[in-house]
Amino acid sequence: MTRLEELLAPRRLANDHRVVFLVDEFFRGRELLDRLPVREGDRLEFVGTAKEPTTEGIDQIVGGLRSGSNGLPVAIVGIGGGCTLDTAKAVSNLLGNGGRAQDYQGWDLLPGPGIYKIGVPTISGTGAEASRTCVMMNVAKRLKLGMNSQYTIFDALLLDPDLTSTVPREQYFFTGMDTYIHCIESLAGSHRHALADAFSREALRLCADVFGSDTMQSPENLSKLMAASYLGGSALANSYVGIVHPFSAGLSMVLGTHHCVANCIVMNAMDEFYPAEVAEFRNMVSKQSITLPSGLCQALPEEALHDLYLSTIVHEKPLRNALGDGFADVLTEERVIEIFCRM
Ligand code: NAD
Ligand code: ZN
């Protein structure tokens, strides 16, 4: 964490220049906290991960940081998984721009930069450390969408694969697989970019190494997956996802299923759209002896199935990227529900 202190030093020129640390709740009471350069006047808040970030939750954190403080912090440090990194990005954007989280859900809606922000990922896969978005659920609007903006990108990153050594096996697989899915969706889309393609191909090669390995959590593989995650997130900055993410967002919105496990559940039902990739995905699931949850939608009432359809089809950009302008003709309500019922 010496590097973190070096990054913060120039920002802390005056004594009252405080830093806000947002730390994944997993680290509560763990030795990592003793190594953080927290000084008097700084704030350290734990970020819960039982639920993924919501627009309301972000507004609450920002409200708490604004109240009782004299002036804005000079830096926000996010330490954790996708939930914590996205929370740090959203909080920084709101402290810098004012307003409420939902005001900026969409593309390029932020008028200016947020507070200087540093990302320290502790689990690899989402690419949230590299991407230009921070995903939040807007329960009222049934919308899972981020603040897609150049201002959402972290100003600095600290990538230390050792921090990921405590991630439980299944979680490591599910979150790591987010990179795989981002990249196959990006490469299969029509919104292509040579840079995104190059990032995606290398990230997929690294994923194949890691998830084809007998020791997917060896120190070497921790490094490879951290690199893959960063490349996958960078790929997305220049492209879009495809069909898996909209369906996955539906599961998250309606059933509260977490992003990465939801992606894997959806991927397993995507034979007609990504046949070769689904076969490769199943090989990795089987190689790592991972059990995917199943039967999620079988006993759902009609209203919930309709909600699943609505919260999938709302994601026009990725669906258009994957299926063209006629995406809604391909993904009729009947077909979408039939696919959900296979999960
Ligand atoms: P997460 O942040 O919930 O972390 C997963 C679990 O791993 C949590 O229980 C967490 O406490 C635990 N964990 C984290 N680091 C650990 C460590 N070192 N040791 C042990 N446990 C550890 O989930 P995630 O899968 O990293 O991220 C999912 C979130 O990221 C979703 O909200 C999703 O929408 C978002 N996302 C964002 C982007 C983006 O570009 N911004 C892209 C994809 C996904
Ligand atoms: Zn994802």
Side-chain angles (χ1 to χ4, degrees), residues 111-306:
I115 304 291
Y116 177 83
K117 49 186 169 292
I118 304 176
V120 187
T122 64
I123 178 171
S124 301
T126 65
E129 66 278 18
S131 75
R132 66 193 297 280
T133 190
C134 51
V135 185
M136 300 162 300
M137 295 208 278
N138 184 325
V139 182
K141 290 190 185 167
R142 258 203 229 98
L143 187 63
K144 185 174 184 187
L145 188 61
M147 303 176 184
N148 291 270
S149 162
Q150 58 172 319
Y151 300 122
T152 302
I153 298 173
F154 278 112
D155 296 287
L157 286 179
L158 234 156
L159 301 181
D160 177 357
D162 286 351
L163 293 175
T164 68
S165 63
T166 45
V167 176
R169 209 169 180 283
E170 288 218 320
Q171 185 69 56
Y172 180 85
F173 183 87
F174 292 141
T175 297
M177 209 39 82
D178 199 21
T179 293
Y180 178 82
I181 294 172
H182 287 157
C183 296
I184 64 107
E185 288 187 287
S186 170
L187 286 172
S190 59
H191 185 98
R192 300 288 286 282
H193 188 290
L195 194 58
D197 286 4
F199 283 141
S200 291
R201 289 205 184 94
E202 182 58 15
L204 287 179
R205 202 182 63 73
L206 290 165
C207 286
D209 278 1
V210 172
F211 296 116
S213 160
D214 291 334
T215 51
M216 69 169 177
Q217 288 176 282
S218 68
E220 189 191 355
N221 282 330
L222 298 183
S223 297
K224 283 187 175 180
L225 196 59
M226 187 160 266
S229 177
Y230 177 80
L231 293 175
S234 306
L236 278 194
N238 295 287
S239 64
Y240 291 113
V241 286
I243 307 167
V244 180
H245 273 74
F247 274 84
S248 166
L251 288 179
S252 297
M253 262 339 295
V254 178
L255 303 180
T257 317
H258 280 218
H259 179 75
C260 298
V261 66
N263 279 348
C264 290
I265 294 166
V266 173
M267 190 65 191
N268 203 29
M270 288 281 118
D271 304 72
E272 67 249 60
F273 300 110
Y274 304 110
E277 294 82 354
V278 171
E280 186 179 29
F281 165 76
R282 289 196 185 123
N283 282 340
M284 295 190 277
V285 169
S286 137
K287 168 83 187 170
Q288 300 304 337
S289 310
I290 300 293
T291 308
L292 294 176
S294 60
L296 264 76
C297 305
Q298 274 161 15
L300 289 182
E302 245 171 59
E303 201 186 326
L305 292 172
H306 180 61

Side-chain angles (χ1 to χ4, degrees), residues 20-39:
V20 172
F21 293 84
L22 297 171
V23 182
D24 190 312
E25 65 185 354
F26 168 79
F27 294 100
R28 202 186 278 274
R30 293 184 188 257
E31 61 81 37
L32 175 71
L33 297 187
D34 304 330
R35 291 196 279 137
L36 294 181
V38 182
R39 292 199 194 161

